[in-house]
């Protein structure tokens, strides 16, 4: 019996690969399994190979595996491209229609998927047939699909629901007759705990509404668009608004306007959009306007690899705007964290009155995964230093409210337009405490120092989470969605008796120098694992003065996320 | 009730003596006072340019953003606080050069905002380059042998983009301008007032006299009907955009904020941001 | 002489079966062959979107830049090589969303470029968000309760911006499209061909049938005179932009490149870049 | 007698301050003096205090001084704001009109500037009167102004020329009668060598034409606009074109298009524009298109201090675009270097087929200064690896030319549209050797490595110039226009008997790690002198692994350039 399973479905983009994977994953998630899925797709709408890999286990993993146990193929290309990773003795289920061929190391089940589907009512149900076939192999009852099928097709009527269930059943039976109910592929039963199943972008959208975000101007871009699309459906219930703007420059400036106006405002984009927002990010920094920008990283540079994994916007996020501003950059690693971090992002933005960039990566943003219950009660809303009644200027106002009052912390009181006694000026030009433009040297120094002081010496708590052996010989440093692959590698390395630690970075600005130093202290070697070509996080460590003699990089920039085995092997070789 | 004085502050504008923008500033102040607005009920959101400094010279809330982006920022402010009187303002370079795309889309979106452009057919603050509204043949620092691009005519563009309120003013006619600004603010939807506001320092062609000579004042055109879009279009084509007064007005439009699904009358900035747990549960259920 | 085949390469477009863009691709290829162009004499400069991939599917020089910036890049190419046939191409989002400002100013500038927009009233590549040309009420991923913005009508905008050559085509009428493309390329100045090119995957409203039903084909309108700007404007207002054929053409325009002071007939890319020492001396004298 | 002189003229912006300073400076430059001028102005057209400080000496200095010997004041504000820096016993020449008051430490000459000017024909000639007054004090004959006045007013007719010369003479005589011909203020005569007098922006424009730049799309912005305005006047003579675009995004994309088309193309901007160009810079990197971007730094962030000195775009220039590209960043320090570096910039852009950013700062861009003869013969044009006839594909072309051919150096052959047999594709998406989009992992790796290989291990010769003591205890590291103030401080420190070295950085990407290490090798202490608030260059040293235990920063971010004395004092304190 299997403790965990790697299942994959492949076919042409647009022929139901995604929905097949999704149905399978949701059904298993509802049984109490931990499910982690990863989509391979390309920047086109229909056609081209696409696949969806689903990992199912009794314990939580947040990485895909290098091998596949069961491969479901809708065309020969899907076999050709993926069969290498099917393990010795693994299963390939393929449609009879294309007369599939597979190498000897796998067991091929040829099933007339399309034909059975047609018999049940329509060829498009071939994915249902394939799900039934999978269930048989894995020793799962087809009833696990009933709920999902019902939900998915309810709108189309009971007949369609029934036809789909029939297709599943027929697929199951066909494989059973082929002798496909293999005990060694039977999945150990799960405990039935119902958890959530979502991708990082879903969690970000949920987190944003929970955090009080109410204005979200944005421009579509892969892999960020879901955040906008999800908020469009949620905001009508809470009085918020999404504006699909003409471009990213409008989006960020509108968000800044809304934040100045008193809303919690955000936008979401990916690399190309982030690059376009650079000027306005500087404006937010200079005008001390709290605004939250989600950057869902994808393969760069330029249009690059729009549907592939990468973590190469770190430098741009930290250093992209001209001139110098205080800024915060957060790096969630899991779906749960995507949810809670949105609250932190808005609280930090309003506490420090500066732009906050929340960086995910494509794998985190788009991989649907089992997610712990999200606790709304844990989301606090703290709007920072707002002017109290007594701070306001008596009306009629003959002088401005001191929006940029020089304080010890550098943080000044905010007041929103519409407030009596709060009139002040805001400008991207250097200014006085009142916000009036002023270019004199002494004032410049005072205001520049005031702004920079806000984050000087600050390290956000929990910026680095250190797990594994306290007395590790090797510490692996990572960020973002690599958390799963690293954790799994660490588990295996420790099982081999090696002393290994894992320092995961959840915020890169303010740079957690102290926390990172503590996390790697005593290690003989440090390896920084990143999905980019230049070792950006590693360079940031040097940049901010984290020193270590035995530091090295493990980089991957081919558009694919790390596999646990790649990290395992690399680190093993370091001992 | 607030008077014109209440809309003044003690900042001395850093415009050149004689600059057309003084009249625009004064007109806004007079219009706001005449309408009975209180200073804190108004926000002026401006771009970068000589004209863009205007948000600093009027005693209301003022936001001076980056070059060309006054309209996106102004729309954001309006979304956060729909009760606020939001005036966006800037120059011809700011609004019709770098910022033209935002203008076109702001028109389509139709939020209840008044946009005042101080159109001097030149880049003033950067010392005299030609602007998108500079005429063909116009000589400027960047066109020493004469402009070889065709001028953009803001009124034609605005009508083509489907604007619901279009007016033009002239810095020499403050009374008309005050009245247009009042009407624009009262109008529920996006309103453009393009003001011929001469740059006395760098534009030696489009001077006060030039406009006095070339402008058709629609207020004085017998029978001009500003609710007739076809006539409006004909007029701005025939005058090559050189007309003042209310050019077009369509009162049947519904502003964007009134059409947003589920949008509340209480401005967002005053709303309780905490999420109702019951609503949260319905959101989460989708992923259960 | 090159034939249509010479303008084909062996790349299989990654468009969905039935996508309107196939017809646009074929029309460009046919027009080029019909005009006796050689593949190396042509460059297709495109933006990002499903439509933007077109520069990869035609056997000519091809440049696939960033989203919304096809026109600036195309103008740069033209300046470097004025002998080249430069075709810019892209989607409605690319050209009239993020890129609209460049369009407006490219019209004013009037370089000898042909701009072909595949207008499907949707963002295809990003999977079905509404576009600036989506109608009011249109439902898309980003307008589940219907679009609350007014649609932009490209033909109206283009005329208002002062365009010298304006045509519209429809993917179902390849013969007309081929002819329009030929005329546009032959026209000496900036030419827009806005093509109704249905997205069969995400736009279930503006389908082939929709256009068949709603389009007025000006080729079939007795007495339509494409040199009459007022009539053109009237037509695009009355049809709400839903017309095909040659809408407007003004042959009196002089393209930008012919007006640049001192610009040579030899394309820059072939010119000798070394500076004549005598000319250098006159330059330096200014600072002596 | 004076070996050097600090002279300043102050008044309201727009009342002729600039032309007074310019006339004075040009006249003295033509006598063979070294002249260095610096303008203090603000972001408005008329009004507001403005001044022009001119340093005149027999030896070349490229910095202003902290003191002033002679102050010419058109209003009381000019005295109030500047008299502090007038040295004990220094001169103030002021217009009688405003009844000037000055403190006791200076000698005040009240001259009826306006009145005399009116008598000569027009009040606007008061600046000429003031020049005559200055000449008298400095023991200079008024004939030194004859040529400049003649050139300036020739177009207006001989009468105006004569009136202006008369005004100068009357000013001279008036002061003479007041006893103002002071021997201790007489300037030592210069040798009459005629050198050039220009600002960095002039030199950049000249260098660009000399280097073969022929297409320059740009958008106006202070302090970059002169580059465009100067090229507009020069290009008609060489068949080039400047396009004033609708914005900076259009400018850079048009430049990229032109470079792809085969022209040498460039643009020029300042911080806000640089931020807007970030996306397209990535496109240039990805498509390997050579394009030159001049960034004339000014005070940031956002609109910031548009007319003030700063060097705070280093991070943005190096790291601003999303994703990872090869890129070159050059940092000229003098006008001469501004000229020659444009040739290097284009050659490097075409050699490495990547974007090149040439960074100046406001002081370098706008300070007019004596400049050595510029040698056109030294400007070479090397267009890099262009495909030869034999590289081209036979026509009719059935396959693409391999524009992105994988080579050992990473550099591939270029061919321009219009060339028979050169058809290929260009895209910002990851691509094959032919330029066709391709997202597969193996190809991605190959192409990414090919691009990054182009500059791997490269250090541009002369990136760091080390002067001063070879065995210095303290090495001062600087860049840009700070060269003059540092050089002068070093001169004084060495005169004090201290061992000091100066390492000036002329290129920050590829980062000259080896050259910098060599330059600071052996020093006990290193101080990095920068016009910014966060110590960007110092952080870059850490970032790229230049290590030193005794490294420190001297920062100035009040909008003013460094004074030699500030550096002198700081470094002196380090011993
Ligand atoms: C992104 C950016 N580009 C360029 C500039 C420089 N700049 C400041 S104002 C201006 C144009 C001013 O013209 P206009 O908008 O017509 O205003 P005016 O000064 O004429 O009132 C420019 C180009 C800038 N501040 N930001
Ligand atoms: C700066 C930037 N923003 C967003 C995107 C994402 N994006 C790619 S194509 C596209 C729009 C596609 O719509 P359209 O131009 O109409 O082309 P179509 O796919 O419909 O042919 C968008 C928003 C991008 N590539 N770059
Ligand atoms: S330069 Fe022109 S626009 Fe600017 S303040 Fe002076 S007159 Fe007005
Ligand atoms: S999604 Fe639409 S626009 Fe894109 S290829 Fe498919 S049909 Fe064409
Ligand atoms: Mg202007
Ligand atoms: Mg489209």
């Amino acid at each position: 019996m299997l403790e965990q399973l790697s299942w994959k479905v492949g076919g042409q983009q647009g022929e139901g690969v995604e929905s097949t994977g999704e149905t399978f994953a949701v059904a298993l998630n509802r049984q109490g399994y931990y499910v982690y899925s990863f989509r391979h797709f390309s920047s086109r709408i229909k056609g081209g190979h696409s696949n969806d890999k689903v990992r199912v286990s009794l314990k939580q993993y947040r990485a895909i595996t290098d091998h596949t146990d069961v491969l479901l193929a809708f065309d020969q290309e899907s076999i050709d491209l993926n069969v290498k990773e099917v393990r010795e003795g693994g299963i390939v289920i393929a449609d009879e229609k294309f007369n599939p061929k597979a190498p000897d190391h796998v067991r091929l089940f040829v099933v007339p998927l399309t034909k059975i589907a047609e018999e049940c009512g329509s060829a498009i149900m071939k994915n249902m047939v394939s799900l039934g076939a999978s269930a048989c192999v894995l020793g799962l009852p087809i009833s696990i699909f009933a709920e999902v099928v019902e939900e998915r097709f309810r709108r189309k009527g009971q007949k369609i629901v029934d036809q789909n269930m029939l297709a599943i059943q027929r697929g199951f039976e066909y494989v059973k007759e082929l002798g496909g109910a293999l005990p060694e592929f039977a999945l150990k039963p799960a405990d039935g705990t119902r958890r959530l199943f979502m991708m990082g972008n879903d969690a970000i959208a949920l987190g944003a509404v929970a955090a009080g975000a109410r204005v979200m101007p944005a421009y579509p871009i892969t892999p960020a668009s879901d955040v906008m699309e999800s908020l469009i459906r949620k905001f009508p219930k809470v009085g918020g608004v999404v504006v699909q703007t003409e471009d990213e420059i409008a989006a960020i400036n509108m968000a800044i306007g809304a934040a100045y106006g008193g809303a919690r405002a955000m936008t979401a984009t990916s690399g190309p959009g982030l690059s376009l927002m650079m000027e306005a990010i500087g404006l937010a920094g200079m005008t001390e306007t709290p605004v939250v920008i989600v950057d869902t990283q994808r393969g760069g540079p330029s249009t690059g690899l729009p549907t592939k994994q990468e973590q190469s916007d770190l430098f741009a996020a930290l250093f992209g705007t001209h001139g110098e501003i205080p800024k915060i950059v957060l790096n969630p690693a899991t779906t749960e964290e995507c949810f809670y971090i949105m609250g932190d992002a808005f609280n930090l933005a309003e506490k420090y009155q500066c732009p906050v960039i929340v960086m995910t990566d494509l794998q985190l943003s788009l991989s649907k995964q089992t997610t712990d219950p999200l606790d709304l009660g844990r989301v606090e809303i703290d709007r920072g230093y707002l002017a109290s009644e007594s701070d306001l200027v008596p009306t009629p106002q003959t002088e401005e409210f001191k929006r940029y009052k020089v304080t010890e912390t550098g943080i000044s009181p905010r007041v929103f337009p519409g407030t009596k006694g709060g009139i002040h000026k805001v400008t991207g030009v250097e200014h006085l405490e009142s916000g009036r433009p002023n270019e004199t040297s002494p004032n410049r120094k005072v205001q520049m120092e005031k702004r920079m002081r806000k984050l000087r010496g600050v390290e956000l708590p929990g910026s680095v989470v250190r797990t594994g052996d306290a007395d590790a010989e090797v510490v692996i440093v990572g960020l973002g969605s690599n958390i799963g692959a690293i954790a799994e590698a660490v588990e295996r390395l420790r099982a081999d008796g090696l002393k290994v630690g894992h320092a995961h970075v959840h915020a890169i600005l303010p740079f957690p120098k102290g926390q990172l130093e503590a996390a790697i202290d005593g290690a003989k070697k440090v390896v920084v694992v990143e999905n980019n070509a230049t070792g950006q996080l590693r360079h940031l460590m040097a940049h901010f003065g984290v020193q270590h003699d035995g530091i090295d990089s493990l980089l991957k920039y081919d558009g694919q996320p790390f596999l646990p085995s790649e990290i395992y092997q690399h680190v093993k070789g370091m001992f | 009730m607030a008077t014109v004085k209440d809309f003044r502050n003690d900042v001395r504008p850093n415009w050149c003596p004689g600059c057309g923008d003084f009249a625009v500033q004064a007109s806004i102040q007079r219009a706001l006072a005449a309408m009975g607005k209180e200073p804190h009920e108004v926000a002026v959101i401006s771009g970068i340019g000589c004209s863009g400094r205007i948000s600093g010279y009027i005693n209301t809330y003022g936001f001076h953003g980056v070059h060309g982006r006054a309209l996106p920022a102004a729309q954001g402010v309006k979304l956060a606080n729909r009760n606020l009187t939001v005036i966006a303002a800037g120059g011809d370079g700011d609004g019709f050069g770098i910022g033209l795309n935002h203008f076109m889309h702001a028109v389509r979106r139709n939020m209840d905002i008044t946009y005042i452009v101080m159109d001097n057919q030149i880049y003033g603050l950067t010392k005299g380059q030609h602007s998108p509204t500079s005429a063909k043949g116009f000589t400027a620092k960047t066109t020493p042998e004469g402009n070889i691009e065709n001028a953009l005519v803001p009124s034609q563009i605005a009508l083509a983009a489907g604007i619901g309120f279009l007016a033009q003013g002239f810095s020499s006619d403050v009374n008309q301008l005050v009245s247009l600004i009042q009407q624009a603010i009262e109008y529920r939807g996006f309103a453009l007032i393009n003001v011929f506001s001469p740059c006395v320092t760098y534009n030696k062609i489009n001077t006060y006299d030039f406009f006095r000579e070339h402008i058709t004042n629609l207020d004085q055109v017998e029978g001009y009907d500003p609710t007739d879009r076809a006539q409006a279009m004909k007029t701005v084509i025939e005058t090559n955009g050189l007309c003042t007064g209310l050019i077009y007005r369509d009162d049947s439009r519904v502003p964007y904020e009134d059409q947003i699904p589920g949008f509340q009358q209480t401005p967002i900035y005053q709303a309780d941001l905490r999420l109702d747990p019951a609503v949260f549960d319905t959101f989460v259920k989708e992923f259960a």
Side-chain angles (χ1 to χ4, degrees), chain A residues 106-177:
Chain A
V106 303
R107 297 182 56 170
L108 177 66
F109 290 95
V110 180
V111 183
L113 299 175
T114 307
K115 207 169 135 234
I116 294 177
E118 278 164 354
E119 287 164 17
C120 294
S122 159
I124 55 163
M125 290 189 296
K126 71 174 176 195
N127 48 18
M128 292 294 152
V129 183
S130 76
L131 287 175
S134 297
C136 176
V137 171
L138 302 171
L140 297 165
I142 63 163
S143 59
I144 63 168
F145 296 112
E147 207 180 70
V148 191
V149 168
E150 154 83 20
E151 283 165 19
R152 181 156 250 154
F153 299 105
R154 194 166 24 210
R155 281 176 314 144
K156 301 196 173 168
Q158 190 58 37
K159 190 170 159 218
I160 300 289
V161 172
D162 292 346
Q163 282 179 348
N164 276 280
M165 281 310 294
L166 178 65
I168 293 175
Q169 190 185 334
R170 294 277 314 274
F172 187 97
E173 284 162 1
Y174 191 95
V175 171
K176 193 163 178 195
E177 266 168 42

Side-chain angles (χ1 to χ4, degrees), chain B residues 87-191:
Chain B
I87 299 175
D92 45 328
D94 194 76
F96 304 135
I98 189 169
L100 178 60
N101 199 22
H102 306 306
F103 171 71
M104 303 297 285
H105 292 281
V107 168
R108 295 204 303 113
R109 212 167 277 133
N110 194 35
M111 289 188 203
D112 185 10
I113 283 175
T114 298
Y115 184 35
I116 302 176
V117 177
M118 285 152 269
D119 182 2
N120 54 12
Q121 299 82 38
I122 198 97
Y123 280 22
L125 190 60
T126 44
K127 300 179 179 263
Q129 297 83 10
H130 69 287
S131 103
T133 57
S134 302
K136 189 103 191 269
F138 183 87
T139 56
K141 254 192 200 150
T142 39
T143 50
E145 307 191 28
N147 186 11
I148 63 173
E149 298 179 356
N150 297 303
L152 189 130
V153 184
S155 51
Q156 294 181 14
I157 295 294
L159 278 176
I163 202 162
F165 184 106
L166 171 66
Q168 293 196 135
F170 174 29
S171 294
S172 277
D173 190 345
V174 170
N175 288 337
Q176 182 190 49
L177 190 51
V178 170
S179 151
L180 293 173
I181 294 172
Q182 263 188 262
Q183 292 175 63
I185 293 174
E186 271 155 15
Y187 179 76
R188 297 202 64 242
F190 186 83

Side-chain angles (χ1 to χ4, degrees), chain A residues 401-574:
Chain A
F401 172 81
K402 291 197 172 159
R403 169 68 186 92
Y404 301 105
K405 190 171 167 158
V406 177
T407 61
E408 222 170 290
T409 57
I411 297 168
S412 319
R414 281 202 302 153
V415 66
F416 304 129
T419 310
K420 222 177 188 150
I423 289 178
H424 63 275
K425 300 301 174 192
V426 170
T427 173
V429 174
E430 191 55 274
H431 42 258
L432 301 173
E433 288 185 311
S434 62
R436 293 185 182 185
N438 183 287
E439 302 181 336
T440 62
S441 292
N443 176 69
R444 159 63 165 192
K445 274 199 68 176
V446 165
Q447 283 291 332
M448 189 74 180
E449 281 159 13
K450 166 196 137 48
R451 283 189 299 273
M452 298 314 279
R453 187 157 67 232
K454 294 191 288 186
L455 286 169
R456 182 154 302 146
V458 171
E459 282 196 24
L460 303 174
S463 293
V464 178
V465 175
R466 175 67 161 79
T467 52
D469 293 307
D471 57 344
E473 268 186 65
V474 175
V475 172
I476 306 175
V477 178
L479 88 169
S481 68
N482 291 344
I483 196 166
I486 298 174
E488 202 167 333
V490 169
E491 191 181 303
R492 290 196 225 163
L493 291 159
R494 294 179 72 198
D496 289 355
L498 301 171
K499 295 269 186 205
V500 183
H502 176 187
H504 212 71
V505 178
H506 298 260
I508 52 172
L509 203 69
F511 197 79
K513 178 172 190 275
Q515 293 176 45
L516 255 176
E517 279 169 347
I520 62 175
D521 186 44
K524 279 214 197 83
K525 290 181 178 173
V526 175
V527 57
V528 187
V529 176
E530 305 175 64
N531 267 127
N532 60 48
T534 57
Q536 300 195 6
L537 179 56
R538 183 192 165 184
H539 276 93
L540 288 181
M541 291 169 68
H543 187 113
F544 291 104
V546 177
Q547 294 189 352
H548 195 284
D549 286 339
I551 199 159
D552 200 2
S553 275
L554 174 58
L555 305 176
K556 192 170 182 184
Y557 45 91
D558 65 355
Q560 302 304 318
F562 277 101
L563 298 170
S565 60
E566 291 168 334
I567 300 170
Y568 169 80
Q569 244 127 43
H570 181 92
V571 177
K572 183 116 184 171
M574 292 170 72

